[in-house]
Amino acid sequence: VSERTLRLRARWVLAHDGTDHRLLTDGEVVVRGAVIERVGHPAPGPADETVELGDAVLLPGFVDLDALADVDHAILDSWNGPEGAARLQWSRRYARGGPRPVFDAAERAEIRRFALAELLLHGVTTAMPIASEVHSDWAESFADAQAMATAAEDLGLRVFLGPSYRSGVPVLDEDGTVDIYWDPARGEAGLADAVRFVEWCRERASDLVTGVLLPCRIETMTDDLLRQTGEQARRLGALVRLHCLQGLNELRLLRETRGATPVGLLRQTGLLQPGLLVPHAVFTDSHPVLGGDGQPGADVQALAAADVTVIHCPLTSARYAAALHSFDSYRRAGVRVALGTDSYPPDLLRGIDTGMAVAKVISGRTDAAPHADYLRSATTAGADALRRPDLGRLRPGAAADIIAVRLDDVRDGVVDDPVRTLIQHTTARAVSLSVVGGRVVVRDGTLVGDDMARLRARAQELFGRMRAAYGERTDPPAAAGTLFPPAFAPWDEP
Ligand SMILES: [Zn+2]
């Protein structure tokens, strides 16, 4: 981006004063090049372009740290109960027989490009993509991460990424229990690729792409690979994101095979340190099924003391029958709580609305999980987790990552406080403008960098293949129709 000056004017601006967000009414944000130059009431001055957004809110773009980066599987596996979900795991026989990738490298790149474009359309300007293992033969390759980096730069999305890696894959045994199929050499090779990718990003010094370490779930990593991940993270000064405290199977497997709790294993392997990001973190000892009583337990206190970030994905957690216990108590204990989308659609406004509703149900109080706290989670907390105080804030000197959400649709009803209105009355489909690093990447609700209709048609085609492939991996093989019966029986012509 050259040093052009862009003026964005709107009825409301969520400006940042260096301490917190502040609501500015009738404001403008002046962008020069890739950086915010001024925030305040409109003032005369030069502009290469002025965008009048009317009854809209200008906000810092959302920071999504468990960002949907695939055609998604929640629509296939978030409704079918424990037996149905178990059949969607790989069988041990399939793992042993040599798994095959559903897509080739070019198809994987297409899917990811589609997903990254969806993030921008939903107002996400910074993303740490989720790993896409559901259709892979193991985890992700160096080339997968490179392709995603290229797509992100092309579309104009800021990303923190790397190839995912793991030592094992969850499999379903004949007796119906979930276990891990191990191949530690693949984990070692994956970590080597991940390290090489961080170094590759450093050399390229792209403003939009930062390399990070993204191992898969804790129960699929050997102790040794966890330890090496921690060592490499310290050597490279790189962030690590590791899924853990996500489910009861994970707790059972770690207890049975390592004699440890997830937090205990993080501590033993040297990963319980600043720069660790933990998606979900639902099943801590604060959860009632693990004896929690509504107060932060030892796990949560350990996460807080180690300056670990929890990546809360409220919509996805709720869809999988899980909830943080609780958003407020984690924050009160001093845990940095950032947000992720994790499933379709990547809509953090829907996510926040759901998270607030769940928090209120859990506590029985309507003042649980205030709008402002959730909005901080979606912006400044995510930026701080990335060690990027220039993100997640609209203030002079910050990166020009800005979105506008329209509040002028008749279907929004009436407008009160604009932050409460945008969370409760609208969704991220009302994002009309996204700017990343001073570049306009979504204009009038439309993607600038690619043809979304073409991307979507292709994604639909590839999704069909991904869906069918579940049937190959179960034992005995099954037709997708029996794995995913329709919500209603098909019509029988009388
Ligand atoms: Zn996740």
Side-chain angles (χ1 to χ4, degrees):
V1 181
S2 61
E3 291 299 291
R4 73 193 272 278
T5 301
L6 173 67
R7 277 175 194 272
L8 306 173
R9 291 183 171 157
R11 179 96 172 86
W12 301 281
V13 177
L14 196 69
H16 198 276
D17 68 358
T19 306
D20 201 358
H21 296 306
R22 300 276 172 181
L23 184 67
L24 164 65
T25 303
D26 294 319
E28 76 171 355
V29 179
V30 182
V31 174
R32 192 168 160 75
V35 173
I36 295 173
E37 189 176 65
R38 177 177 179 276
V39 180
H41 291 295
D48 295 292
E49 185 186 358
T50 301
V51 185
E52 302 278 357
L53 292 145
D55 283 342
V57 197
L58 282 169
L59 309 160
F62 297 131
V63 179
D64 178 355
L65 299 183
D66 211 26
L68 178 85
D70 213 326
V71 286
D72 196 28
H73 53 85
I75 199 151
L76 297 174
D77 65 12
S78 64
W79 47 266
N80 36 16
E83 298 80 21
R87 291 185 74 205
L88 304 182
Q89 303 270 4
W90 292 11
S91 67
R92 184 175 291 279
R93 186 203 299 245
Y94 175 76
R96 228 189 258 125
R100 79 165 183 99
V102 178
F103 302 125
D104 65 25
E107 291 165 340
R108 289 199 295 276
E110 283 182 286
I111 283 178
R112 289 178 177 129
R113 187 180 178 100
F114 169 69
L116 298 186
E118 289 277 24
L119 294 173
L120 286 173
L121 284 168
H122 286 85
V124 172
T125 55
T126 294
M128 186 179 278
I130 53 171
S132 326
E133 293 122 13
V134 74
H135 50 68
S136 73
D137 62 345
W138 195 261
E140 294 170 334
S141 68
F142 183 85
D144 286 338
Q146 268 185 324
M148 199 158 8
T150 310
E153 283 177 338
D154 206 24
L155 294 166
L157 176 68
R158 197 180 298 283
V159 286
F160 290 74
L161 57 83
S164 65
Y165 56 95
R166 54 179 165 182
S167 325
V169 184
V171 290
L172 191 67
D173 274 323
E174 276 90 44
D175 65 359
T177 57
V178 174
D179 195 8
I180 305 294
Y181 174 82
W182 294 104
D183 189 347
R186 295 196 80 153
E188 302 274 334
L191 173 61
D193 270 355
V195 167
R196 191 156 64 90
F197 186 76
V198 172
E199 288 162 349
W200 180 77
C201 290
R202 294 254 159 101
E203 269 162 41
R204 289 176 82 238
S206 157
D207 182 44
L208 288 182
V209 182
T210 304
V212 293
L213 297 175
L214 302 181
C216 302
R217 297 164 169 230
I218 190 169
E219 71 273 28
T220 64
M221 302 276 291
T222 61
D223 292 12
D224 193 42
L225 200 62
L226 290 170
R227 201 169 290 117
Q228 289 183 51
T229 296
E231 282 163 14
Q232 291 292 353
R234 284 185 289 275
R235 185 179 73 78
L236 295 162
L239 301 170
V240 178
R241 186 187 63 194
L242 175 67
H243 276 68
C244 68
L245 300 155
Q246 194 177 356
L248 295 173
N249 260 329
E250 168 200 328
L251 299 187
R252 176 184 60 78
L253 283 165
L254 293 187
R255 191 175 54 237
E256 286 172 10
T257 61
R258 333 268 182 106
T261 65
V263 172
L265 191 56
L266 291 176
R267 188 180 283 118
Q268 282 166 37
T269 53
L271 277 167
L272 195 65
Q273 61 183 356
L276 177 69
L277 291 80
V278 176
H280 311 303
V282 165
F283 289 96
T284 65
D285 55 8
S286 301
H287 195 290
V289 302
L290 300 170
D293 60 1
Q295 296 306 313
D299 287 342
V300 171
Q301 284 166 11
L303 297 175
D307 195 24
V308 167
T309 300
V310 165
I311 305 170
H312 169 42
C313 306
L315 186 57
T316 303
S317 287
R319 283 172 168 173
Y320 290 92
L324 268 195
H325 286 268
S326 64
F327 180 80
D328 288 332
S329 93
Y330 279 42
R331 289 184 83 258
R332 260 201 313 273
V335 176
R336 184 185 306 106
V337 181
L339 296 187
T341 50
D342 199 24
S343 68
Y344 213 89
D347 184 332
L348 280 177
L349 293 178
R350 271 181 78 177
I352 291 172
D353 194 22
T354 303
M356 288 180 61
V358 169
K360 290 177 189 186
V361 170
I362 283 174
S363 66
R365 297 180 59 105
T366 56
D367 59 356
H371 301 83
D373 284 349
Y374 254 108
L375 209 75
R376 291 183 187 107
S377 282
T379 55
T380 46
D384 294 347
L386 297 169
R387 299 170 172 160
R388 288 289 300 266
D390 61 322
L391 302 179
R393 298 151 168 88
L394 299 188
R395 60 185 312 251
D401 292 9
I402 307 161
I403 61 170
V405 185
R406 297 173 46 177
L407 293 184
D408 60 359
D409 192 305
V410 291
R411 290 164 294 188
D412 296 333
V414 295
V415 176
D416 186 44
D417 176 277
V419 168
R420 293 198 188 109
T421 306
L422 77 93
I423 290 171
Q424 294 190 199
H425 288 197
T426 190
T427 71
R429 290 190 186 182
V431 169
S432 58
L433 177 87
S434 298
V435 175
V436 181
R439 173 176 159 198
V440 177
V441 292
V442 171
R443 197 184 274 276
D444 300 324
T446 306
L447 188 72
V448 174
D450 208 336
D451 173 2
M452 211 51 208
R454 182 189 66 82
L455 289 175
R456 186 184 182 211
R458 192 63 184 135
Q460 185 71 47
E461 207 176 304
L462 295 170
F463 172 76
R465 273 168 52 199
M466 181 181 99
R467 183 178 189 271
Y470 278 91
E472 296 170 20
R473 300 188 290 249
T474 60
D475 188 16
T482 65
L483 292 175
F484 310 115
F488 288 99
W491 170 258
D492 267 334
E493 190 68 24

